[in-house]
């Protein structure tokens, strides 16, 4: 299910989906059948890329996710844990250690370290599997946190979690009932919080790595044109919206399954 979910999610991203539409359109044109439908597929692909590659559209998709939870504020009660979710890495030995984490992962670790400096008694939990990499993301990020001044004794590593669902499942028992800051990308925070609530814990949101920033002045003309960086932001937003829909469907299925089990066993 994990790999199937990843495959389907990747195919629904803007660029693969547009290329698929273009391929279908070219196939119709080559077969000389349904030429109008073929041309329409190609036009839709270009319109999709053009719109999703603009700042207004990417912000429209991304800001509702990023602004759902406010920035972390120091709590009256000291934190017990600071949980950092994984966001990707490549342990390339030919680049500096701090460059081996993804931009999102680096932002998460830096946010966690900043929070830890005000809560030095807290343990930092770092999560992330290795996948096809020889080194786990948790270990890569632990090295980064240590280089930023966090003692090794304050770091806890979960090196086998492949996604947020596994992170919530495996880490929830440790942080149960403990004041915990959850550090992840602002766009990912709504889905992450929902998963941890479903696992029975309520961490304190600590969002970081904001992409849909609102400038206080009018945008220059060139920033209104389609650009790859805005297409990437739309991709991030679509990934999260699809993830939220998938999560809602799976939770609805589980609730229905539990209700069916209760009815058939006579427990209600």
């Amino acid at each position: 299910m994990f790999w199937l979910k990843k495959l389907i999610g990747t195919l629904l991203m803007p660029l693969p989906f547009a290329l698929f539409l273009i391929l279908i359109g070219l196939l119709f044109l080559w077969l000389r059948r349904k030429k109008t439908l073929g041309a329409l597929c190609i036009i839709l692909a270009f319109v999709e890329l053009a719109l999703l590659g603009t700042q207004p559209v990417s912000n429209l998709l991304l800001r509702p996710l990023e602004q759902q939870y406010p920035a972390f504020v120091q709590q009256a009660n000291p934190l017990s844990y600071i949980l950092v979710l994984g966001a990707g890495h490549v342990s390339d030995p030919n680049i500096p250690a701090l460059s081996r984490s993804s931009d999102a992962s680096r932002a998460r670790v830096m946010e966690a370290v900043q929070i830890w400096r005000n809560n030095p008694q807290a343990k930092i939990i770092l999560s992330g599997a290795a996948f096809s990499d020889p080194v786990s993301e948790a270990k890569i990020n632990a090295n980064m946190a240590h280089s930023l001044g966090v003692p090794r004794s304050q770091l806890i590593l979960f090196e086998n979690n492949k996604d947020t669902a596994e992170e919530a499942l495996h880490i929830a028992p440790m942080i149960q009932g403990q004041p915990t800051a959850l550090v992840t990308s602002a766009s990912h925070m709504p889905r992450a919080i929902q998963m941890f609530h479903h696992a029975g814990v309520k961490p304190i949101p600590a969002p970081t790595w904001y992409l849909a920033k609102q400038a206080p002045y009018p945008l220059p003309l060139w920033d209104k044109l389609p650009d790859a960086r805005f297409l990437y932001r739309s991709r991030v937003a679509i990934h999260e919206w699809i993830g939220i829909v998938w999560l809602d469907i799976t939770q609805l299925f589980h609730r229905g399954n539990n209700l069916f089990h209760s009815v058939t066993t006579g427990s209600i």
Side-chain angles (χ1 to χ4, degrees):
M1 284 298 293
F2 171 79
W3 293 111
L4 178 62
K5 178 180 68 174
K6 290 294 184 183
L7 176 61
I8 294 174
T10 299
L11 293 176
L12 291 175
M13 292 300 101
L15 185 55
F17 188 72
L19 292 176
F20 175 75
L21 284 177
I22 292 173
L23 180 62
I24 293 298
L26 291 175
L27 182 62
F28 280 137
L29 293 177
W30 180 68
L31 293 175
R32 297 183 180 180
R33 297 176 182 175
K34 300 182 178 179
K35 289 184 178 182
T36 302
L37 181 59
L40 181 61
C41 287
I42 295 174
I43 292 171
L44 285 176
F46 281 101
V47 169
E48 177 214 347
L49 292 177
L51 288 177
L52 294 179
T54 62
Q55 188 183 56
V57 173
S58 63
N59 278 7
L60 183 66
L61 293 171
L62 201 52
R63 277 185 71 83
L65 294 168
E66 293 190 339
Q67 298 298 317
Q68 191 164 332
Y69 292 97
F72 178 82
V73 177
Q74 178 60 35
Q75 305 296 298
N77 296 326
L79 296 172
S80 297
Y81 296 104
I82 303 165
L83 170 57
V84 183
L85 302 186
H89 76 292
V90 178
S91 57
D92 186 343
N94 297 313
I95 63 176
L98 291 180
S99 297
R100 296 173 189 174
S101 296
S102 67
D103 292 342
S105 192
R106 218 167 19 250
R108 295 179 189 187
V109 173
M110 292 174 66
E111 180 71 18
V113 172
Q114 181 65 33
I115 295 172
W116 173 81
R117 286 174 180 156
N118 294 322
N119 298 268
Q121 75 290 334
K123 302 277 188 179
I124 298 181
I125 302 174
L126 298 151
S127 177
F131 286 106
S132 58
D133 201 281
V135 184
S136 72
E137 182 180 358
K139 187 169 291 183
I140 290 286
N141 289 342
N143 291 338
M144 188 194 314
H146 180 62
S147 72
L148 294 172
V150 183
R152 294 279 184 186
S153 60
Q154 296 297 107
L155 302 174
I156 300 173
L157 276 61
F158 280 78
E159 300 184 73
N160 297 316
N161 296 325
K162 297 189 295 293
D163 59 11
T164 310
E166 292 189 359
E167 289 171 328
L169 178 66
H170 298 151
I171 299 174
M174 173 179 285
I175 65 175
Q176 181 76 44
Q178 302 293 326
T180 303
L182 174 62
V183 183
T184 190
S185 302
S187 60
H188 180 55
M189 187 62 76
R191 186 158 58 102
I193 287 292
Q194 188 176 351
M195 288 187 181
F196 276 89
H197 284 184
H198 187 66
V201 294
K202 293 186 177 181
I204 304 162
T208 186
W209 201 58
Y210 291 82
L211 295 177
K213 302 170 186 176
Q214 193 70 51
Y217 47 82
L219 293 175
L221 176 61
W222 53 84
D223 266 346
K224 296 180 181 179
L225 299 176
D227 191 278
R229 69 185 188 276
F230 301 137
L231 183 61
Y232 173 73
R233 295 177 191 177
S234 293
R235 181 198 182 280
V236 171
I238 292 170
H239 173 81
E240 290 302 327
W241 285 116
I242 290 174
I244 289 171
V245 171
W246 175 270
L247 182 59
D248 289 341
I249 291 172
T250 55
Q251 290 184 357
L252 183 62
F253 174 79
H254 286 308
R255 285 195 294 269
N257 192 39
N258 290 338
L259 179 61
F260 177 78
H261 178 73
S262 300
V263 171
T264 55
T265 58
S267 58
I268 60 171

